[in-house]
Amino acid sequence: MSSTPSAHATPTPETIQTDVLIVGAGPVGLFAAFQAGVLGLRCELIDVLDRAGGQCTELYPEKPIYDIPAVPGCLAQELVDRLLEQCAPFAQPMHFGQRAQSVSDTTGADGHPRLLVTTDGGKRFDVAAVLICAGAGAFAPQRVSLPEAAALEDRHVHYAVRDLSRFAGKRVIVAGGGDSALDWALALRGVAARVTLLHRREGFRAADHTVAAMRAAVDAGEMDFVVGMLGSLQTDASGALTEAGIKTRDGDHTVPADELVALYGLVSEPGPIAHWDLAMRAGRIQIDDTTTYETSRRGIFAAGDIAVYPNKQKLILSGFHEAALALRKAYHYAFPDKALVHVHTSNNAALKEKLTHG
């Protein structure tokens, strides 16, 4: 007796087969996609965010970056754009709004070990290796705890500066005491009508030269600095922010404001990856072999800020190096019976044609 599937049955998601799954489409993940293409590896990328770029795009797209080799300086978003352009010839598919959920061991048709990764968006990936380039993990900004703040988010309360022109001619309060808060306060003073930096104490968690630049700007009358904490946010009849109540040692004060940029830092955690049976330390993935950057679980690698090992440097260029070495070991899992020949992009005619003309 045959049966007809219910019209309401949930369809089984298609399983995507590829060589490497890259978890995270920030700068390190994007460079890894390029390196995979250079080596002849097929890969797919997933990211929980709705676009490529990771923290560079989400948190500080207009922040200058000076430590990329051969690039004297560029904005964070410009770096992301260049990396996207670099890996574009290989057309590695990217899946956004997808968080890596689970991983399980499986076996390919050739009898070699493989991994099956599922996402919270219902996608399934059958791969020879996984490269985790998840940065700080799943991250979110620490939000303003005032009850009236939620209704003002994305209109007058912001946790990142994505477009300086958005604040042109406005009265802006920047709250926070780290590098990001001081950097943005200094940058905004050139476009806003008035900038007030608000921090709970006189000391800062920022570079000395940045603190010195801020104090010089205050002394020159280019911006204000107030020691205190947010106590309230006031709006007009249309719901637009008009001023902030500030609690200081001398009592309560008000500061006129059209926009509030709260930069209290991020709350981050590795998310479901923490349950993948990987050796972890303080929320980051432990790496014991820095010749391959393979984790404690076969076939799973980590690169970028999520990886930790002795003398680890949390630099983008370090992540580039880690990803390049990890993919060379991943190649042997994808093609166990094939030798990896070292590839110079400058003298490989076929590869050069692809990178030049797509």
Side-chain angles (χ1 to χ4, degrees):
M1 180 177 177
S2 62
S3 60
T4 302
S6 166
H8 301 289
T10 302
T12 302
E14 176 188 0
T15 299
I16 299 170
Q17 285 194 326
T18 193
D19 298 325
V20 180
L21 177 66
I22 298 174
V23 179
V28 174
L30 294 176
F31 183 74
F34 167 75
Q35 278 289 296
V38 169
L39 296 176
L41 288 165
R42 296 172 303 133
C43 76
E44 310 237 350
L45 296 87
I46 62 172
D47 199 297
V48 69
L49 300 176
D50 61 358
R51 52 188 167 170
Q55 295 185 51
C56 282
T57 292
E58 187 70 10
L59 297 180
Y60 44 84
E62 295 194 39
K63 183 174 182 178
I65 294 178
Y66 299 110
D67 59 356
I68 304 299
V71 181
C74 68
L75 300 181
Q77 185 60 54
E78 184 182 358
L79 174 63
V80 171
D81 293 340
R82 291 184 183 186
L83 288 164
L84 284 167
E85 181 181 1
Q86 185 180 40
C87 67
F90 298 108
Q92 311 281 32
M94 301 184 189
H95 309 266
F96 299 113
Q98 302 285 332
R99 184 193 300 271
Q101 194 71 26
S102 67
V103 62
S104 57
D105 297 311
T106 185
T107 304
D110 57 3
H112 292 297
R114 291 182 67 84
L115 297 164
L116 180 64
V117 179
T118 65
T119 74
D120 59 355
K123 291 187 179 290
R124 293 159 53 93
F125 297 88
D126 179 350
V127 299
V130 175
L131 174 56
I132 302 172
C133 304
F139 63 90
Q142 293 193 48
R143 285 177 152 72
V144 177
S145 59
L146 299 175
E148 61 268 33
L152 294 169
E153 288 184 3
D154 298 324
R155 296 192 302 122
H156 301 285
V157 173
H158 314 271
Y159 298 104
V161 178
R162 298 191 176 91
D163 181 6
L164 279 172
S165 64
R166 166 75 174 75
F167 301 91
K170 303 291 185 66
R171 301 167 299 178
V172 183
I173 295 177
V174 178
D179 281 302
S180 292
L182 273 68
D183 285 343
W184 284 121
L186 289 167
L188 284 164
R189 80 189 194 279
V191 297
R194 195 65 187 171
V195 173
T196 300
L197 177 66
L198 174 67
H199 186 41
R200 58 188 174 84
R201 57 189 179 86
E202 284 280 355
F204 295 92
R205 308 178 311 280
D208 291 343
H209 66 87
T210 305
V211 176
M214 181 276 295
R215 296 198 186 280
V218 171
D219 291 341
E222 299 171 355
M223 59 181 286
D224 299 316
F225 171 48
V226 175
V227 177
M229 300 177 63
L230 283 173
S232 63
L233 299 173
Q234 283 80 46
T235 59
D236 61 18
S238 68
L241 181 65
T242 58
E243 62 183 27
I246 309 297
K247 296 180 179 295
T248 73
R249 293 177 181 175
D250 300 326
D252 295 344
H253 303 274
T254 59
V255 174
D258 304 301
E259 310 288 343
L260 168 66
V261 181
L263 299 171
Y264 296 138
L266 298 175
V267 178
S268 66
E269 48 87 30
I273 288 173
H275 306 292
W276 282 18
D277 195 26
L278 306 174
M280 307 283 292
R281 191 206 313 170
R284 297 162 69 192
I285 299 172
Q286 176 72 43
I287 299 297
D288 292 326
D289 183 357
T290 53
T291 65
T292 65
Y293 295 94
E294 192 166 14
T295 71
S296 59
R297 187 166 178 176
R298 181 196 183 279
I300 301 180
F301 303 80
D305 287 355
I306 194 72
V308 63
Y309 51 86
N311 200 33
K312 163 73 179 187
Q313 302 299 310
K314 295 177 71 173
L315 299 171
I316 293 175
L317 65 89
S318 298
F320 290 166
H321 165 80
E322 295 156 6
L325 292 189
L327 287 166
R328 279 155 176 77
K329 178 64 179 290
Y331 184 94
H332 295 294
Y333 290 150
F335 304 106
D337 302 318
K338 186 177 178 181
L340 174 61
V341 178
H342 182 67
V343 178
H344 288 286
T345 56
S346 58
N347 60 14
N348 183 297
L351 182 58
K352 188 176 180 180
E353 175 69 17
K354 188 175 188 67
L355 294 176
T356 304
H357 303 290

